[in-house]
Amino acid sequence: MKRPHRRIHFLFWIVIAPITALVGYFSWQMRPATPFTELPPGIETISDASTDTSESR
Amino acid sequence: MGHQYKAIQWNGNKIVYDLYVLASTGMFITIFMITGLATQPGGHPADPVILFIRALGVTAFALLTVILTIGPLARLSPRFLPMLYNRRHLGVTMFIVASAHFGLALFWYHAGGPLNPLVSLFVSNPQYDSIPGFPFESLGFVAFLIIFVMAATSHDFWLNNLSAPVWKALHMLVYPAYALLVMHIVLGALMTEKSMLYPIMTGGAFLFVSGLHLYAGFGEWRADNGMKSLKAKGWIDVCAPLDIPDMRAVIAPLPKGDRVAVFRYGGKISAVTNACRHQNGPLGEGRVIDGCITCPWHGWQYRPSDGISPPPFTEKIATYNVKIESGRVFVDPKPNPPGTRTNPALIDMEGASL
């Protein structure tokens, strides 16, 4: 009897690992030079008020 | 074994292991919190709640990384088999920590507005077309859903009802979940981190897990290729009788990609399929304990001569006919129906057939 999924398991890592590594690396390269958590307080306040997205960072 | 459903098959080792896991997890979170509060990352005092949310997230990711290394490590060395035996409890611990991370983050960031927090999680940041501003929380949520389904079906009740292949296929979703979590971290925490510590640790963990799986998988692939070259006709020459360690097995390739586990126990040799009925664990990497072949993964047992689990259990696996000729062990590549009794080959002290 064969052990199921053995080849699928291997193929999965061959496909998913390089894709995730490349996408992750290039996404990280596109990070802002100055993280908005470190923006001056005034700008951070404006950003919070207008988009309401920065708190979740 | 699947004769009846039990809540958890506790034993002394599992309790000690669980205590170690809980203590290590608690210690990891504590050290993370103390270090974060002491170092004040970003040059300003860290918010304890946000730091705790991050501590829970880092802990869950670290636990999942450890979990994903156990499988290939156990393939490469039997020293890691005890970790495999207890992997499910580690998975449940990871789910609990991930649930705390998810629940606290959802409450902290999304419960204060007029929207349902779950709706808010997906719509409060609509920058789905931006990489730096991507709503990374959505990736974490999908990963959490996968982990939730896995935790909910982790019990043997579901393994028996779904069947091992379906259950295994379902639980292989942990790999895309891990990839989603990596992107959740990259597009979330790493977008605001100036320190190189986080990127190096995240990337290193992912590359380590990927490398281990590929290395172990490559070994399996080479073994599969070796099987293809075998001819289907005739008995398979496995090895000399004494090449098999006592109370252990040699795993031999068969035509069509099958594998057989040839066990030596005392002066006898028997052969069974290499796949356990429970989760298709590699029986040939197990031992003969109390007269039964014992799966290295979760301890399911079968009698070597007929492949039947000892009473009160009723599981059966396929057996193979085996013989010794000219000081060599031969296996008939055609499997017998599960539970078929076979005559063990007998060996003398010199390793020749009696």
Side-chain angles (χ1 to χ4, degrees):
Chain A
M1 180 183 170
K2 290 180 189 176
R3 292 182 56 219
H5 307 309
R6 207 166 51 204
R7 289 185 186 175
I8 297 172
H9 184 279
F10 186 37
L11 288 173
F12 193 91
W13 279 101
I14 279 190
V15 173
I16 201 169
I19 290 175
T20 306
L22 286 173
V23 172
Y25 177 73
F26 286 112
S27 300
W28 180 67
Q29 291 284 59
M30 294 175 74
R31 70 193 183 283
T34 305
F36 51 83
T37 51
E38 295 179 14
L39 290 174
I43 296 174
E44 195 176 19
T45 307
I46 294 167
S47 175
D48 282 350
S50 61
T51 64
D52 194 31
T53 59
S54 60
E55 267 201 294
S56 61
R57 301 274 156 186
Chain B
M1 284 171 274
H3 174 256
Q4 59 186 3
Y5 303 128
K6 297 178 181 176
I8 297 175
Q9 293 179 349
W10 294 101
N11 58 46
N13 287 337
K14 274 196 184 294
I15 291 171
V16 170
Y17 175 87
D18 285 355
L19 289 174
Y20 270 115
V21 168
L22 289 176
S24 304
T25 304
M27 203 179 300
F28 187 92
I29 294 172
T30 305
I31 290 172
F32 189 98
M33 288 293 293
I34 291 171
T35 309
L37 289 169
T39 55
Q40 298 190 355
H44 50 80
D47 185 317
V49 177
I50 294 175
L51 196 61
F52 188 52
I53 291 172
R54 186 171 285 196
L56 292 169
V58 170
T59 305
F61 182 74
L63 282 170
L64 186 55
T65 300
V66 171
I67 290 165
L68 291 179
T69 61
I70 292 173
L73 283 174
R75 308 290 310 150
L76 297 170
S77 169
R79 283 180 301 172
F80 295 99
L81 284 172
M83 291 180 73
L84 192 68
Y85 180 67
N86 294 292
R87 184 169 59 176
R88 214 181 296 190
H89 287 199
L90 202 57
V92 173
T93 306
M94 183 273 295
F95 168 69
I96 292 169
V97 176
S99 300
H101 169 76
F102 169 70
L104 192 54
L106 193 70
F107 174 79
W108 188 250
Y109 292 115
H110 298 280
L115 289 174
N116 180 309
L118 284 175
V119 175
S120 169
L121 187 145
F122 284 98
V123 303
S124 64
N125 174 12
Q127 299 182 67
Y128 285 92
D129 56 349
S130 160
I131 287 180
F134 191 86
F136 64 95
E137 301 92 335
S138 55
L139 300 177
F141 179 75
V142 175
F144 179 74
L145 275 185
I146 293 173
I147 293 167
F148 171 77
V149 171
M150 289 179 60
T153 59
S154 66
H155 194 275
D156 271 358
F157 173 85
W158 287 103
L159 177 63
N160 282 285
N161 280 280
L162 295 173
S163 80
V166 173
W167 189 88
K168 267 290 185 192
L170 181 69
H171 281 238
M172 279 178 67
L173 288 174
V174 71
Y175 302 139
Y178 189 63
L180 285 168
L181 285 178
V182 169
M183 292 309 299
H184 172 70
I185 295 168
V186 169
L187 296 173
L190 298 195
M191 286 290 157
T192 58
E193 274 296 329
K194 279 196 164 180
S195 164
M196 286 298 290
L197 186 65
Y198 275 101
I200 288 173
M201 289 185 69
T202 308
F206 182 74
L207 291 178
F208 183 63
V209 170
S210 305
L212 270 179
H213 276 270
L214 288 171
Y215 183 70
F218 185 64
E220 298 278 325
W221 179 73
R222 278 193 306 185
D224 280 343
N225 275 357
M227 294 170 191
K228 283 179 186 170
S229 64
L230 290 170
K231 302 294 182 188
K233 295 175 184 175
W235 290 57
I236 304 294
D237 183 353
V238 177
C239 61
L242 295 184
D243 288 344
I244 308 171
D246 195 24
M247 300 299 172
R248 289 190 176 273
V250 163
I251 299 170
L254 294 175
K256 300 178 184 177
D258 293 352
R259 292 182 190 180
V260 62
V262 186
F263 279 89
R264 177 160 79 93
Y265 49 108
K268 301 176 183 175
I269 290 180
S270 291
V272 298
T273 176
N274 192 44
C276 179
R277 277 291 307 277
H278 181 215
Q279 289 187 25
N280 301 306
L283 287 174
E285 295 174 24
R287 289 183 295 156
V288 177
I289 299 174
D290 297 332
C292 289
I293 295 166
T294 305
C295 181
W297 281 11
H298 301 97
W300 281 39
Q301 291 189 307
Y302 310 92
R303 291 194 296 249
S305 58
D306 58 13
I308 299 176
S309 296
F313 306 104
T314 56
E315 283 76 17
K316 298 175 182 176
I317 53 173
T319 57
Y320 290 80
N321 296 324
V322 61
K323 65 181 180 182
I324 301 175
E325 279 184 5
S326 306
R328 304 288 296 177
V329 177
F330 289 87
V331 171
D332 184 350
K334 185 183 175 188
N336 297 312
T340 302
R341 170 167 288 282
T342 58
N343 293 322
L346 304 176
I347 55 175
D348 61 18
M349 292 305 289
E350 287 74 39
S353 177
L354 284 174

